[in-house]
Amino acid sequence: MGRSGQPRDDRSRGVDARNAQGVQVGDNNRQYNIFGPVVRSAYLAEVRRIAPAQLLHREAELARLVAFCTGDGPDSYLRWQAFPKAGMTALLAWFVLHPPPGVRVVSYFVPEGRTEQENHDAFLDVVLEQLVELTDGSMPGHLTRSTRKAHLLGRYTEAAEACARRGERLVLVVDGLDDRRNASGIAPLLPDHLVGGMRVVLDTGSGLRVPADLPPRHPLREARRPDRLPRIIDEAERAQLEAADARRKVERQRAADGRRAAQLRVDQWRAAEAARTTPAARAGAVLRVLVFVAGWTGLLVLFAWLAWAWYDPSVAGILSAQILVGASGATFGLAPAAYRLGAAYAPAPRSPAAWFGSPRVMVLCGGAALALIGVGGACAADYLDARHDRLLERSLGMAGALPSFEQTVAFVVLVLIALGCWAVGTYIAGTAIGPWQERHREQERTYRAAAGKLPS
């Protein structure tokens, strides 16, 4: 009997009414209605503001997400890593709004500008509301800052089991979980005990340091290396990149052609150097110098004999000796340089006019040469006259032991003229060999410049 005097109805015993919104017990038509507010999350409206109107060039990434969320692989966490403005948020927002069949998505997109605690509290409020909606229940009463985390972790399990009973799979998507957005306070709120095939998809941005307070065997610690999200390139940027790539190819081709040309020049130079410095080439160069000097010396000696032999053959002989002194100076200046040049020295016979820049210079130089020969011939004649007088005086016993003043002056002048002939010969040798040396130095500079372009 109950307190009202009515018989007790034991049929109500064993009835589980914890999730019921209305309960009728007994035969007396007494009904107890217990109504709580039904939770409906509006977070998808926020996701629609984030998602793009159309997702382009992400077929491979969407296929990867679908395969992970609907497959039976051993991994329960999928991490993506993307740099800023790579399009990770757009990809995940599109996936949240267009999940594959049989997948129920709970999501949270970390906004920038919030502190770690603000992101922590916002994640609890947003995700807990979505999980409660999946269980068709109401928000737990008397939620406090100390109990919200426990309710959230419990609702992960309840929502995953509720989805599994309906033949669905629960997927948690969190975007922007990186240190740049102060989102490390969210990591301890991620589920560590996943049931019913639950999956977690994370965008860890450019990097995430695992918080120290995360449980030792949390799946986030054991998640494999993050997948890289390639950056989307629009048509204009693609055209610019293709143009830049074409320019780089042209530059690389030009550089390769330059290296081949430089290598060819270097090889040619080395081959020429090997042929230039052989003993036969050096001997040939010295022989050409001797022929060159002997030819011009012979012409000058012939000219001296034609000019003075009719007057005094001894004067012609002295002049010939002076010319030979100049020839020896020319040989001294030409032979060592020709030996160093080797095959690079190959003078061709040329006329005397080719040695002068203009007819005026030729006339001046020719007049100077004739004057020098005339002065030399006069000095030689004076020297011979003084020497003849000296010998005559000595034969008559009239001369002393020392030579006469006239003989001494004439001899000194002849010595000076000989030195002048030596200097003139050396100058002519330098003038003759100079272009060949400069040409060889220019080729050597070209070789060194080409060798500098080759990789070491």
Side-chain angles (χ1 to χ4, degrees), residues 390 393-394 397-404 407-408:
R390 175 66 177 167
E393 291 177 355
R394 291 188 63 181
M398 299 171 58
L402 295 177
S404 64
Q407 185 181 4
T408 302

Side-chain angles (χ1 to χ4, degrees), residues 375-445:
V375 171
C379 291
D382 293 342
Y383 173 75
L384 292 176
D385 290 341
R387 184 169 180 274
H388 177 73
D389 295 340
R390 175 66 177 167
L391 292 176
L392 182 61
E393 291 177 355
R394 291 188 63 181
S395 63
L396 298 174
M398 299 171 58
L402 295 177
S404 64
F405 177 76
E406 291 81 2
Q407 185 181 4
T408 302
V409 170
F411 179 78
V412 170
V413 171
L414 288 177
V415 170
L416 293 177
I417 292 177
L419 294 177
C421 290
W422 176 277
V424 169
T426 305
Y427 172 77
I428 292 175
T431 304
I433 203 69
W436 300 96
Q437 291 177 324
E438 181 59 32
R439 188 179 299 113
H440 181 262
R441 282 193 291 266
E442 182 64 27
Q443 293 175 352
E444 186 175 7
R445 285 193 293 266

Side-chain angles (χ1 to χ4, degrees), residues 256-396:
D257 294 340
R259 286 193 295 271
R260 283 194 293 270
Q263 186 64 54
L264 179 61
R265 288 194 295 270
V266 170
D267 294 341
Q268 291 175 347
W269 167 263
R270 290 173 178 170
E273 283 294 288
R276 181 183 68 82
T277 56
T278 59
R282 295 184 188 275
V286 174
L287 180 61
R288 287 191 292 272
V289 165
L290 296 178
V291 171
F292 175 79
V293 173
W296 283 103
T297 302
L299 289 176
L300 292 176
V301 168
L302 179 61
F303 179 77
W305 277 93
L306 291 176
W308 290 96
W310 61 271
Y311 175 75
D312 191 344
S314 299
V315 173
I318 293 177
L319 289 178
S320 299
Q322 301 282 10
I323 293 172
L324 290 175
V325 170
S328 64
T331 304
F332 178 80
L334 281 174
Y339 180 82
R340 289 192 299 269
L341 289 174
Y345 177 69
R350 13 179 224 176
S351 64
W355 288 61
F356 306 104
S358 65
R360 179 181 299 178
V361 175
M362 183 177 68
V363 170
L364 293 176
C365 293
L370 292 175
L372 181 62
I373 292 176
V375 171
C379 291
D382 293 342
Y383 173 75
L384 292 176
D385 290 341
R387 184 169 180 274
H388 177 73
D389 295 340
R390 175 66 177 167
L391 292 176
L392 182 61
E393 291 177 355
R394 291 188 63 181
S395 63
L396 298 174

Side-chain angles (χ1 to χ4, degrees), residues 241 243-253:
L241 292 177
D245 186 60
R247 287 194 299 271
R248 284 193 293 270
K249 288 182 179 179
V250 171
E251 292 173 358
R252 286 196 295 269
Q253 184 63 36

